[in-house]
Amino acid sequence: MPGSLRDRILRAWRAERSLDASTLDVAVDVGGNRVVLAGDVGSYTDRLTAHEVAAGCAAGVVPLENRIVVRPLRCDPAESDDVVRLRVERVVRDVVPGARLTLAVRDHVVRVTGVLDRQDQRRRVHAAVARCPGVHFVDDRASVVDGRTFDPVPSPPDSGAWTP
């Protein structure tokens, strides 16, 4: 039943702690046989998470059309990388206490490396870092214990050697 699919997706978005779903909505087009995801989020990570959660609810039922828009990011170019790094470290400590991660910041791009125990921890860390004021992009190179890596979006073009 289309209404129940919509309700399942909305409930799943609300239950996903790493996602701010307050502006998201779902339309189930019965005639066109598709689900349209709409609204806006604060990061590409939130857009990807919203799509993945919805795809899990609609698996094998109907195709998804992702019309979720990413709001512009807020970065102060005068803010130092050290200030951003301290802010990001505090956020990561709150989200996953005891995480074995290294955080490096250069030009408002945060590189996350290290190991986490579970995929949901990685998603929470990535989302929290992406939402952190002063962060323009997250280069997520963290691994989950099983050794898989996660690359939600392409890394930014390299403008020179990375020096963490």
Side-chain angles (χ1 to χ4, degrees):
M1 188 169 186
S4 63
L5 175 58
R6 179 179 185 273
D7 292 343
R8 280 196 316 265
I9 292 172
L10 291 172
R11 277 194 308 273
W13 278 344
R14 284 191 302 268
E16 176 59 52
R17 293 173 39 133
S18 69
L19 177 65
D20 174 9
S22 58
T23 65
L24 297 179
D25 198 8
V26 180
V28 178
D29 179 7
V30 178
N33 199 25
R34 66 186 169 143
V35 173
V36 178
L37 311 178
D40 62 271
V41 292
S43 70
Y44 288 97
T45 302
D46 285 354
R47 185 176 193 270
L48 178 68
T49 300
H51 184 90
E52 288 177 347
V53 169
C57 294
V61 179
V62 291
L64 297 178
E65 182 178 332
N66 192 345
R67 292 187 186 173
I68 298 172
V69 176
V70 179
R71 293 185 297 271
L73 302 173
R74 299 179 321 257
C75 289
D76 177 1
E79 190 171 52
S80 76
D81 288 341
D82 289 334
V83 169
V84 174
R85 184 181 46 76
L86 291 172
R87 187 180 302 129
V88 168
E89 286 174 350
R90 190 172 345 133
V91 166
V92 169
R93 268 195 314 270
D94 289 345
V95 172
V96 181
R100 302 173 311 239
L101 297 174
T102 301
L103 304 164
V105 179
R106 186 173 119 197
D107 297 332
H108 301 275
V109 174
V110 178
R111 178 175 283 177
V112 180
T113 56
V115 179
L116 291 162
D117 296 328
R118 297 183 320 270
Q119 192 66 28
D120 68 305
Q121 290 177 331
R122 165 189 236 144
R123 226 181 5 223
R124 286 197 318 266
V125 165
H126 191 111
V129 171
R131 288 186 193 127
C132 197
V135 173
H136 179 67
F137 188 85
V138 181
D139 180 8
D140 185 349
R141 298 187 182 198
S143 295
V144 177
V145 169
D146 66 7
R148 291 180 295 166
T149 57
F150 179 63
D151 191 12
V153 291
S155 295
D158 198 2
S159 59
W162 179 270
T163 52

